[in-house]
Amino acid sequence: QLQLQESGPGLVKPSETLSLTCTVSGGSISSSSYYWGWIRQPPGKGLEWIGSIYYSGSTYYNPSLKSRVTISVDTSKNQFSLKLSSVTAADTAVYYCASGQVIGAFDIWGQGTMVTVSS
Amino acid sequence: DIQMTQSPSTLSASVGDRVTITCRASQSISSWLAWYQQKPGKAPKLLIYKASSLESGVPSRFSGSGSGTEFTLTISSLQPDDFATYYCQQYNSYRWTFGQGTKVEIK
């Protein structure tokens, strides 16, 4: 059974880069059976898709965040990562990594990690 | 970009009630619609994919229907464990968008 676990700093200063990693267990990140994504949820608010990456390495980003987002895969560590640059308080949220086997849906989610942007 | 609008935003219901949540897309998404349940402090859980396919392990009281721009999630008989927030999510051309959520509260 595939499992995902987010890790990274819980506090980031304004204007700096937020960096998170999602470690995949129970399956290979290189498998063509999966695609991988990042979703976030500001406190008390709804879900926002940040971006996705496929086994081929192709990446797709939310247009509203595209200029600041990079998602990449490290096959040697079975991990994928998120970098969000020039953060502000509006980027404070719980960040989830997720995977999908069925086209269009994310069926496996990490537990989420809270990231606060503050000086 | 495709916008997803859920209604209602909040729904008050009793155990045993039949509950229906609606999700409307700003343009046709065929059947590329998923539904999730989220409880406080927890990650979302996939309930329905491709508009009407029940995810493995999800109780059969949950069902989804619709295509194009209009979709519904129905809970046939609301159970105590079902009080939560529900989100629809569309997929189109390698982009995903979530609805704003519907909170199902105890009446």
Side-chain angles (χ1 to χ4, degrees):
Chain A
Q1 174 73 352
L2 198 67
Q3 291 185 315
L4 308 178
Q5 178 67 58
E6 304 90 349
S7 60
L11 181 64
V12 181
K13 290 182 168 55
S15 81
E16 295 189 344
T17 296
L18 179 159
S19 296
L20 296 174
T21 297
C22 184
T23 299
V24 178
S25 59
S28 172
I29 200 163
S30 301
S31 172
S32 60
S33 299
Y34 306 113
Y35 53 91
W36 315 95
W38 288 96
I39 297 101
R40 70 181 182 179
Q41 185 171 36
K45 296 187 178 181
L47 300 165
E48 180 181 34
W49 171 69
I50 299 170
S52 296
I53 187 166
Y54 282 70
Y55 72 95
S56 61
S58 297
T59 52
Y60 303 92
Y61 301 131
N62 187 324
S64 69
L65 300 169
K66 185 175 183 178
S67 64
R68 300 194 291 130
V69 174
T70 302
I71 296 175
S72 59
V73 166
D74 186 338
T75 55
S76 67
K77 296 182 179 179
N78 222 36
Q79 296 174 335
F80 64 105
S81 64
L82 168 70
K83 292 187 184 300
L84 181 65
S85 64
S86 304
V87 298
T88 69
D91 295 310
T92 293
V94 175
Y95 285 76
Y96 295 100
C97 61
S99 71
Q101 291 187 333
V102 176
I103 293 175
F106 293 104
D107 53 355
I108 304 294
W109 293 64
Q111 64 183 24
T113 187
M114 180 67 198
V115 178
T116 301
V117 178
S118 176
S119 55
Chain B
D1 286 352
I2 297 175
Q3 307 301 316
M4 305 302 292
T5 303
Q6 285 182 237
S7 60
S9 296
T10 306
L11 186 159
S12 296
S14 301
V15 172
D17 284 353
R18 181 180 181 89
V19 168
T20 299
I21 299 169
T22 298
C23 183
R24 180 178 291 111
S26 59
Q27 67 186 68
S28 178
I29 56 170
S30 185
S31 295
W32 299 117
L33 192 285
W35 290 97
Y36 300 85
Q37 176 194 68
Q38 187 180 33
K39 296 181 179 179
K42 299 295 186 181
K45 173 187 174 183
L46 178 65
L47 300 175
I48 302 284
Y49 61 93
K50 288 183 184 176
S52 60
S53 295
L54 192 68
E55 174 71 347
S56 176
V58 174
S60 59
R61 63 181 180 272
F62 291 93
S63 64
S65 64
S67 66
T69 61
E70 296 279 338
F71 302 86
T72 59
L73 172 71
T74 299
I75 309 172
S76 61
S77 178
L78 197 66
Q79 298 302 300
D81 191 48
D82 301 337
F83 292 97
T85 300
Y86 294 84
Y87 292 93
C88 64
Q89 170 248 298
Q90 71 83 25
Y91 165 78
N92 179 266
S93 299
Y94 299 104
R95 297 208 176 148
W96 290 255
T97 312
F98 291 90
Q100 81 278 16
T102 295
K103 186 176 183 179
V104 177
E105 298 181 327
I106 300 173
K107 190 172 183 179

